[in-house]
Amino acid sequence: MEAKAVEGDAFFIVTRGRSRKGFCRGCVGRVEGETPSGELLGLVYNGGRPKSRGIVRTENTCPLTRHQAQLLLFVTTPSKRLELLCNAPLFKAICDLSQDDVVVVKHKKGPQPGRVKNLMQIGRKESDDELHMLGFEVEFVDSDHTLSSKKPVPLPMFNAADIIRVVPSASVPLGLHWKNGQYGALNKKAVTRISSMPSAGPTGNPRHVKDGKEPRRARGPAAAALEVGSMVEVVSSSGVTVYGVVRWLGVPLRKTEEWAGIELDYEVTGCSDGKYGNQRYFTCKANTALFVPVTKCSPDSRFACSSMGPETRRSTDTPPVPSFDDSAEYAPPIPESEALSLLVGRMKGIQGHVNSCYLDATLFSLFSSSVTLDNIWQRPAEAEQPITCSLRSIVSCLRRQGFVPAESVTSFRKELGCNTFQTDEKDPEEFITVLFQKVLCIEPLLKLRSRGETSQGSYTFQIIVEKEQMGQVPTVQQLLDTSCLSSDLKFEEVPSCLMVQMPRFGNKYKMFNHIIPSTELDITDLLHNSPRECFVCGCLAQYECFHCLPDRKLQPGRIKQYCSVCNTQVHSHPSRQGHSPKALEVPADVPCDTPVPRHVMQLFAVLCIQTSHYVAYVKYGPDPNSWLFFDSMADRCGDDQSGYNIPEVQACSEIGIFLAQPEEELARASPSQAPELVRRLLCDSYMFLYQNPATPSSKPSHEE
């Protein structure tokens, strides 16, 4: 049977799936037909020129208008196209740009504001199959918000992905003018100015102008609904709009009315780092804190919702809830190369609903990118319980689409069997035990042995220490070592996954103000009946001394084990003669000079809690800076009855940069001076998740 032809122009971008017959994720194509099985026959573009033809599944694509396709083709990197497409409000605003609209663009000097002057056609169209790519000429705005009169010609050109903010223009949106002829060159392609900026199709909203001025939105009642965390916009006296998040509300010193402290989306000269006058009200990056009376704040029009009046609500500005793919077909963990384009943005990750943050953060941490538990999904789906199939569908949807709606998670919570899982606040360790025991049917991940006793199974490891045993700023490694030695516990074998719970009780109590994450956890000296290395000479150790652990002359915080000779010498010192070293159980067949292999586990996620709300940090690849921050309830659209939560995933490379510092510098670091996401990691950590790269597997409970 022949493929069915498609009438008219229909374009698409491949959003997921493996490369197949000419198509890969992020490539743009034009529909030429449809196979009997429903797949698309398409023409793939390289720049504006057709490259090849191929076949792709319809569900792996997102439809585009011609204008959208032309804008995305000028974005040369496929991952950047997908990242822009994921930010639906921004992409729509870019498609709707008019002349003299104010935008903020990426620049080598940092984010720069400017006005759009022309929409540019790039490339010579030599055949009907070719497409003009589209870019924007932007005239920069000086720091005093006036157009620079000394900018050289030609004006700089930017693609759609270079635009990071679109600001509603306060000027009259004049129509663009034809300018005939060729303009310079860009990668040796012809560039032409065109007369209008088409909208994205039927969703475009034309501007209505009266008496030469653009109408302003009504303000006032919305300001009364502001709270910390609200997304707002502020219009300056010169007509430039800035956007940000409310971080503080109150009456500043020497003021009589209520003001808002706003953390802006980008740096603006003259703003602070959270100070107003000489008083600090919150902490953020330099030049991003703005303080204004609350009467000057309005809800962010890009994400308008039901808190605004019906005449000003625009549902297209709110991220839509994507459809749920309930396929239980196996989907591999999201690779590092695809994580940012698939996961980063609003309405990404797992959507929270009614106290589900503990569950959302845990599932996202365990299953989005980590391969530790991936062998679970290799079992035949037919042999699974219904609740396991539900979890499989959630994981598959997260890995394929980058989003799981609240409805699917709510159904899963009902299947857990206890009503409190549907409505109450829970802690991750309680859910983890049910998840592994009842849903995944996996044996305890940890086998712990105390001296002279049989091993005990557990899914998580609770740190138990006395505050006096530790320094003010302990690392996870130091906490684990001290807890194991003081409780006389050893691991019977190297676990595939080690989840270490910090010494705190929810959001009510924490023993340490902040804890330094250990990116690697060496458990060699915490293994039962395993060869260990003498702390002094490196030979096979035969004794271990808990009392030497805090010794300031012997690297405090490090586990100390010694060979017979070094044990005698170390404990001959007057300050150590009262110590009680214990003999180690050493395999009889191990030579004294044998090299001791190190068993090191790698950090892949951290669960944090602040004011009863759990969030997650997830490492999505081997690169040290490949970190994501996930919040299942980052924002909300609508009221408590009819609205819904907006989950968000952010890239946070600053975590990797911070943790790359030497341990001594990390211990001296002040969380208040660190970036906000780094501060939250240090101060709010609840559970650290580690994986064993050598054995990424877990044994089902029914196996022997």
Side-chain angles (χ1 to χ4, degrees):
M1 296 178 65
E2 295 185 357
K4 183 173 63 176
V6 176
E7 296 183 3
D9 282 343
F11 297 89
F12 62 88
I13 183 171
V14 180
T15 57
R16 60 178 181 171
R18 300 292 177 185
S19 299
R20 180 188 176 192
K21 297 182 182 179
F23 286 102
C24 62
R25 293 185 73 245
C27 69
V28 176
R30 190 182 74 192
V31 179
E32 292 193 312
E34 187 175 325
T35 67
S37 60
E39 295 180 312
L40 297 180
L41 296 174
L43 184 66
V44 189
Y45 283 93
N46 180 17
R49 295 179 179 276
K51 176 183 177 183
S52 60
R53 285 177 167 82
I55 300 176
V56 64
R57 294 170 63 179
T58 305
E59 60 267 27
N60 290 341
T61 66
C62 176
L64 301 173
T65 65
R66 170 183 283 269
H67 182 61
Q68 290 172 330
Q70 290 175 291
L71 288 172
L72 290 174
L73 282 173
F74 194 37
V75 180
T76 56
T77 308
S79 62
K80 290 188 179 296
R81 294 174 188 161
L82 291 171
E83 187 175 346
L84 176 60
L85 194 71
C86 288
N87 193 340
L90 175 61
F91 186 45
K92 179 187 179 302
I94 292 172
C95 293
D96 291 343
L97 280 173
S98 298
Q99 189 184 45
D100 284 333
D101 272 352
V102 177
V103 295
V104 180
V105 297
K106 298 176 186 175
H107 192 267
K108 60 185 178 181
K109 296 180 181 179
Q112 296 289 317
R115 290 193 187 277
V116 174
K117 303 311 293 182
N118 290 287
L119 180 65
M120 309 300 295
Q121 289 182 339
I122 299 101
R124 293 185 178 88
K125 188 173 179 181
E126 298 176 352
S127 70
D128 292 339
D129 286 337
E130 294 185 11
L131 277 178
H132 284 301
M133 296 181 292
L134 295 180
F136 298 94
E137 273 190 339
V138 175
E139 186 174 11
F140 288 136
V141 177
D142 288 338
S143 59
D144 61 354
H145 306 305
T146 60
L147 286 174
S148 172
S149 60
K150 298 181 179 180
K151 294 292 180 185
V153 177
L155 293 172
M157 191 184 313
F158 297 90
N159 64 45
D162 292 327
I163 299 173
I164 57 179
R165 292 289 181 272
V166 174
V167 182
S169 176
S171 62
V172 180
L174 303 174
L176 295 178
H177 303 289
W178 279 99
K179 294 187 179 180
N180 297 323
Q182 302 300 316
Y183 159 66
L186 182 71
N187 295 334
K188 299 183 179 179
K189 296 185 177 78
V191 181
T192 306
R193 293 178 174 85
I194 59 177
S195 62
S196 62
M197 293 189 170
S199 69
T203 59
N205 293 325
R207 298 175 183 269
H208 299 282
V209 182
K210 182 179 180 180
D211 299 329
K213 295 184 179 180
E214 186 178 1
R216 298 174 64 89
R217 284 183 296 275
R219 306 180 184 275
L226 288 183
E227 58 185 19
V228 173
S230 296
M231 303 179 68
V232 297
E233 63 183 46
V234 177
V235 182
S236 71
S237 57
S238 58
V240 174
T241 305
V242 292
Y243 300 88
V245 178
V246 175
R247 295 300 184 200
W248 175 84
L249 287 169
V251 181
L253 292 175
R254 291 185 285 277
K255 299 293 181 183
T256 57
E257 57 182 344
E258 187 177 23
W259 282 45
I262 303 167
E263 183 178 356
L264 300 177
D265 290 354
Y266 55 88
E267 295 183 13
V268 174
T269 303
C271 289
S272 71
D273 63 351
K275 282 186 175 181
Y276 184 72
N278 295 323
Q279 179 70 34
R280 177 172 296 281
Y281 295 95
F282 63 97
T283 301
C284 61
K285 292 181 180 179
N287 298 319
T288 59
L290 175 67
F291 290 85
V292 294
V294 293
T295 54
K296 293 185 176 292
C297 300
S298 300
D300 191 328
S301 60
R302 299 169 300 172
F303 309 108
C305 62
S306 61
S307 61
M308 301 171 65
E311 69 280 356
T312 59
R313 186 186 307 132
R314 293 185 297 168
S315 60
T316 54
D317 286 340
T318 302
V321 179
S323 59
F324 175 54
D325 178 6
D326 62 355
S327 171
E329 181 184 351
Y330 170 73
I334 301 169
E336 185 177 34
S337 59
E338 299 180 8
L340 293 181
S341 60
L342 183 64
L343 287 174
V344 171
R346 291 164 63 81
M347 294 307 286
K348 291 293 182 178
I350 301 174
Q351 186 180 29
H353 180 65
V354 188
N355 297 325
S356 69
C357 58
Y358 70 93
L359 182 146
D360 308 325
T362 303
L363 292 181
F364 188 86
S365 298
L366 288 172
F367 298 115
S368 60
S369 296
S370 174
V371 299
T372 303
L373 304 170
D374 201 50
N375 70 305
I376 296 167
W377 312 118
Q378 306 297 333
R379 309 176 200 165
E382 297 77 16
E384 293 178 341
Q385 310 173 69
I387 189 174
T388 311
C389 292
S390 298
L391 178 62
R392 180 190 285 266
S393 296
I394 290 172
V395 174
S396 177
C397 183
L398 176 64
R399 292 175 173 181
R400 292 178 185 279
Q401 294 183 297
F403 174 79
V404 180
E407 291 78 5
S408 59
V409 180
T410 299
S411 299
F412 174 70
R413 293 169 73 184
K414 291 179 181 178
E415 294 180 70
L416 289 174
C418 179
N419 290 336
T420 58
F421 277 109
Q422 301 178 40
T423 56
D424 293 3
E425 294 179 356
K426 296 281 187 179
D427 291 323
E429 67 273 15
E430 184 178 354
F431 168 64
I432 286 171
T433 300
V434 174
L435 174 70
F436 283 89
Q437 272 187 347
K438 179 177 178 179
V439 182
L440 299 176
C441 303
I442 290 180
E443 288 183 352
L445 301 173
L446 310 180
K447 293 183 179 180
L448 300 169
R449 178 186 288 270
S450 183
R451 187 179 298 269
E453 297 182 5
T454 57
S455 63
Q456 301 288 328
S458 178
Y459 292 100
T460 62
F461 186 94
Q462 172 66 64
I463 295 292
I464 301 175
V465 294
E466 297 293 337
K467 192 169 185 179
E468 295 72 23
Q469 294 176 289
M470 311 302 303
Q472 287 191 338
V473 188
T475 66
V476 178
Q477 180 78 64
Q478 292 168 349
L479 288 168
L480 181 65
D481 290 348
T482 305
S483 182
C484 284
L485 262 68
S486 60
S487 303
D488 198 13
L489 289 175
K490 290 289 188 293
F491 294 101
E492 195 163 275
E493 61 186 19
V494 180
S496 61
C497 181
L498 173 57
M499 293 176 273
V500 186
Q501 188 177 341
M502 294 299 99
R504 64 177 299 166
F505 179 68
N507 66 314
K508 299 176 182 177
Y509 167 79
K510 59 180 180 179
M511 183 175 290
F512 303 99
N513 289 329
H514 60 285
I515 295 171
I516 302 298
S518 299
T519 55
E520 292 186 337
L521 208 56
D522 191 334
I523 64 168
T524 308
D525 299 330
L526 300 175
L527 293 174
H528 171 71
N529 199 24
S530 179
R532 293 165 62 182
E533 189 179 82
C534 175
F535 178 77
V536 178
C537 69
C539 293
L540 190 67
Q542 296 172 297
Y543 295 88
E544 178 181 68
C545 184
F546 168 72
H547 298 95
C548 286
L549 184 70
D551 196 312
R552 296 188 178 277
K553 296 179 180 179
L554 295 173
Q555 296 188 29
R558 287 280 304 276
I559 292 181
K560 314 298 190 308
Q561 61 275 330
Y562 311 101
C563 65
S564 180
V565 174
C566 292
N567 181 59
T568 302
Q569 292 177 343
V570 168
H571 290 99
S572 64
H573 191 282
S575 66
R576 305 188 190 101
Q577 289 178 357
H579 291 191
S580 303
K582 296 179 180 180
L584 293 172
E585 297 182 30
V586 182
D589 57 344
V590 179
C592 292
D593 57 350
T594 186
V596 177
R598 309 305 297 181
H599 299 281
V600 178
M601 306 196 72
Q602 298 174 344
L603 179 66
F604 73 91
V606 184
L607 298 177
C608 294
I609 183 173
Q610 185 181 40
T611 59
S612 301
H613 181 61
Y614 286 98
V615 296
Y617 293 82
V618 175
K619 197 168 188 299
Y620 63 88
D623 189 291
N625 298 334
S626 294
W627 282 92
L628 296 173
F629 173 76
F630 165 61
D631 186 346
S632 65
M633 304 178 183
D635 197 8
R636 185 166 182 84
C637 178
D639 55 29
D640 291 341
Q641 286 73 37
S642 60
Y644 58 86
N645 290 311
I646 300 175
E648 183 174 15
V649 179
Q650 303 177 45
C652 52
S653 58
E654 60 265 35
I655 299 297
I657 295 171
F658 179 83
L659 296 179
Q661 300 178 86
E663 191 174 295
E664 297 76 15
E665 293 185 23
L666 291 175
R668 292 194 298 266
S670 172
S672 63
Q673 301 301 318
E676 175 63 14
L677 290 182
V678 174
R679 185 200 64 77
R680 292 185 67 176
L681 175 65
L682 297 178
C683 299
D684 301 336
S685 57
Y686 184 85
M687 183 179 289
F688 290 85
L689 283 63
Y690 291 86
Q691 61 188 3
N692 179 8
T695 56
S697 61
S698 302
K699 185 183 295 184
S701 58
H702 57 77
E703 290 185 10
E704 298 295 332

